[in-house]
Structures are given as structure tokens and as C-alpha cells.
């Protein structure tokens, strides 16, 4: 999930006019009742834009509240000083790094030498990498994943397939090979906002979720709410139910893995 305040809102280029409903601050106390109602104890907070200052603010937030178990932040992977920046941030609850790769003009951004140097620094630091891509960037992401077998990775939002249109190719063809890479996980998140915001149903989500469930299995899937972005199309409660329903009949052990245990192990949260 995400939090943000006025400073972040002023910097967002991705927040289009149709997203005005979430153009306000969101803080931990706004979410706590919904977490408790759905049996969640703690959360992983994920970066929202390219800012080391935001990462530092999240790390400070994690020290002030018992709600935040870990932070997926941002650093400039292309910087020659990336290893030093990671060392500076590493003392707190930083568990991983993410970058909006799908916003880069070059779909092969992950193939760049300077980016590869940054990924190597993440691997050396013992952190994880959240892969934020869409279908065009999946080939480069696959190449990066194959080159860094010791860097735990997770594909966010199941790579944002075009759920609203119902199309499954070439998304499925490009996603399937990741199943062979044991160090890669998949985050079942961000689905309702890829569907029709006003009229989506679980039947719209199910074909995509079932595909990733078949590819990755219950031990390599992580639930993510993408709150508060998800509220453009659904409440937190509805997102939880939609994930459960689209996965089909989950046994208790599979549910515990997807809705918590896998995140704890992947992000090395402990406790």
C-alpha cells in the first residue's frame, strides 16, 4: 500500500484529473480500521514516485508507528553512487527498492548497463526488487531476472494486464517464462484499477489471477491492496474479497501464505 501527503501530491505526474478522488493525504490511521477488520496486523509501504526523500520519510514513519513492517523505497539505480545511497538507508526497515519502469520511454530500460549496476548493488545489499512494468517491458524484465538469480524479485500488479479490454496476449506469453525463475514472485495487486472502474466484476479478474496462480503457485504469490489507489474502483474490503474469490477455493494454508506469510519471507520482515 501507499501513503502520501501534500508534498508528494504536488510532485505526482501520474495522478491524472480522473484520479481527483484520491488527491488528498492518506496516512496510517486512515487505513488501520480496515486492516483490523480484515485480519491484517502490519503492512509494507511502497514508494509512489522517484524520490529518495520520500524513502527517508517512509523510514521515519516506520519508526513512529507499529503499523509499518517494511518499506519498499526508491533510489536512482543509474547513479554511480547507488551503493553508497543504499548503505545510508539500509539501517532502518528498508526491505526493497522499486522504480516506475513502465513510465520510462525506453521499454528496454532494464537492459541498460547503469541500471544493471544498480541491480547488482541491490543484490549485494541483500535487498529485494519490485518489478513495476507493463506488457511492453516484460521481455527486458525477464532478461534482468535471469541475469540476477540471487536478487529476490516480485512482479507488481501482475504486470498490469489490460483487464478492461479482456485481452490476454501478449501479456500471458511474456509472463509465463517467469514461472521458471524460483527467485521471482508475483504480487496479486492493482487489478481493479486495470479493469473498468465502474462495472468490474470478479469474473473480469479471474482469468488473469488464475493464470498467475497456475504459473507461480500459492507459495510465490503475494497479496497487495494497492490502497489508496484501489479506492478509485473498490474499497479495501472489496479488494480483499476479489482476490480471494478470483483465486478460487483457498485452503487455510494457501490463504495464510498469499495474505501474509509469503510477504514476511520475501521481504525478510521477521516477527
Amino acid at each position: 500500500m501507499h501513503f502520501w501527503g501534500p508534498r508528494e501530491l504536488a510532485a505526482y505526474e501520474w495522478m491524472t484529473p480522473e484520479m481527483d478522488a484520491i488527491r488528498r493525504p492518506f496516512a496510517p490511521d486512515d487505513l488501520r480500521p480496515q486492516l483490523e477488520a480484515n485480519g491484517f496486523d502490519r503492512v509494507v509501504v511502497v514508494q509512489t514516485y522517484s524520490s529518495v526523500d520520500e524513502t527517508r520519510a517512509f523510514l521515519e514513519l516506520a519508526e513512529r508507528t507499529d503499523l509499518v513492517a517494511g518499506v519498499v523505497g526508491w533510489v536512482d539505480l543509474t547513479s554511480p553512487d547507488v551503493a553508497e545511497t543504499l548503505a545510508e538507508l539500509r539501517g532502518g526497515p528498508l526491505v526493497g527498492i522499486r522504480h516506475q519502469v513502465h513510465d520510462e520511454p525506453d521499454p528496454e530500460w532494464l537492459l541498460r548497463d547503469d541500471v544493471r549496476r544498480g541491480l547488482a548493488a541491490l543484490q549485494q545489499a541483500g535487498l529485494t526488487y519490485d518489478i513495476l512494468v507493463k506488457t511492453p517491458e516484460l521481455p527486458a524484465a525477464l532478461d534482468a531476472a535471469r541475469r540476477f538469480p540471487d536478487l529476490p524479485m516480485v512482479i507488481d500488479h501482475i504486470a498490469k494486464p489490460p483487464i478492461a479490454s479482456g485481452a490476454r496476449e501478449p501479456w500471458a506469453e511474456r509472463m509465463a517464462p517467469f514461472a521458471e525463475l524460483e527467485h521471482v514472485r508475483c504480487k496479486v495487486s492493482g487489478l481493479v484499477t486495470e479493469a473498468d472502474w465502474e462495472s468490474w466484476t470478479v469474473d473480469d479478474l479471474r482469468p488473469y489471477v488464475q493464470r498467475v496462480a497456475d504459473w507461480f503457485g500459492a507459495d510465490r504469490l503475494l497479496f497487495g491492496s494497492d490502497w489508496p489507489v484501489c479506492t478509485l474502483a473498490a474499497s479495501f474490503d472489496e479488494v480483499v474479497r476479489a482476490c480471494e474469490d478470483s483465486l478460487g477455493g483457498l485452503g487455510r494454508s494457501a490463504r495464510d501464505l498469499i495474505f501474509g506469510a509469503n510477504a514476511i519471507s520475501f521481504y525478510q520482515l521477521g516477527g
Side-chain angles (χ1 to χ4, degrees):
M1 60 216 20
H2 312 288
F3 300 123
W4 56 69
R7 182 180 64 179
E8 288 76 24
L9 286 169
Y12 289 161
E13 297 181 358
W14 56 265
M15 194 172 286
T16 57
E18 63 184 353
M19 303 173 79
D20 282 348
I22 58 172
R23 197 181 299 276
R24 65 175 181 84
F26 287 89
D29 285 346
D30 296 318
L31 182 60
R32 194 183 296 271
Q34 298 164 77
L35 291 172
E36 292 175 351
N38 286 277
F40 292 101
D41 302 309
R42 306 183 76 193
V43 302
V44 174
V45 178
V46 181
Q47 64 90 220
T48 62
Y49 74 120
S50 300
S51 169
V52 175
D53 287 340
E54 182 196 49
T55 302
R56 294 191 179 100
F58 281 161
L59 294 173
E60 293 172 2
L61 177 66
E63 298 296 336
R64 299 196 306 269
T65 175
D66 62 348
L67 194 65
V68 178
V71 172
V72 175
W74 181 90
V75 297
D76 183 358
L77 292 174
T78 70
S79 170
D81 302 323
V82 62
E84 289 78 6
T85 303
L86 290 172
E88 172 201 342
L89 299 171
R90 193 68 177 96
L94 185 71
V95 296
I97 294 297
R98 187 176 84 154
H99 178 77
Q100 276 97 333
V101 176
H102 60 46
D103 289 339
E104 293 289 339
D106 180 7
E108 296 187 340
W109 185 82
L110 283 165
L111 300 180
R112 288 171 38 169
D113 289 342
D114 52 359
V115 175
R116 296 290 174 83
R117 185 183 62 239
L119 293 175
L122 287 186
Q123 184 173 269
Q124 183 65 31
L127 293 166
T128 63
Y129 183 57
D130 270 52
I131 305 173
L132 184 56
V133 296
K134 296 181 181 179
T135 301
E137 298 81 31
L138 279 171
L142 179 63
D143 186 89
R146 286 171 171 164
R147 287 174 182 263
F148 293 93
D150 296 322
L151 175 59
M153 298 184 180
V154 60
I155 301 170
D156 286 359
H157 309 327
I158 70 172
K160 296 191 173 184
I163 298 174
S165 72
R168 300 175 200 174
E169 299 296 347
W171 167 82
E173 179 185 7
R174 297 181 181 182
M175 274 287 286
F178 287 94
E180 303 170 3
L181 306 177
E182 291 294 331
H183 67 295
V184 178
R185 308 291 191 271
C186 187
K187 200 176 289 185
V188 184
S189 60
L191 304 179
V192 293
T193 46
E194 296 304 315
D196 185 299
W197 294 2
E198 301 296 331
S199 63
W200 68 269
T201 69
V202 172
D203 287 339
D204 299 327
L205 313 182
R206 188 175 288 113
Y208 303 91
V209 176
Q210 288 293 331
R211 285 286 185 92
V212 297
D214 290 341
W215 291 327
F216 293 91
D219 58 344
R220 289 168 59 197
L221 294 179
L222 284 69
F223 167 74
S225 69
D226 198 29
W227 183 93
V229 179
C230 70
T231 61
L232 294 167
S235 69
F236 183 90
D237 293 355
E238 289 171 330
V239 169
V240 174
R241 299 289 88 75
C243 183
E244 291 179 326
D245 292 346
S246 59
L247 283 165
L250 287 178
R252 175 62 182 270
S253 60
R255 190 189 189 284
D256 288 348
L257 288 172
I258 296 169
F259 286 88
N262 289 341
I264 292 170
S265 61
F266 177 77
Y267 289 121
Q268 302 180 55
L269 302 178

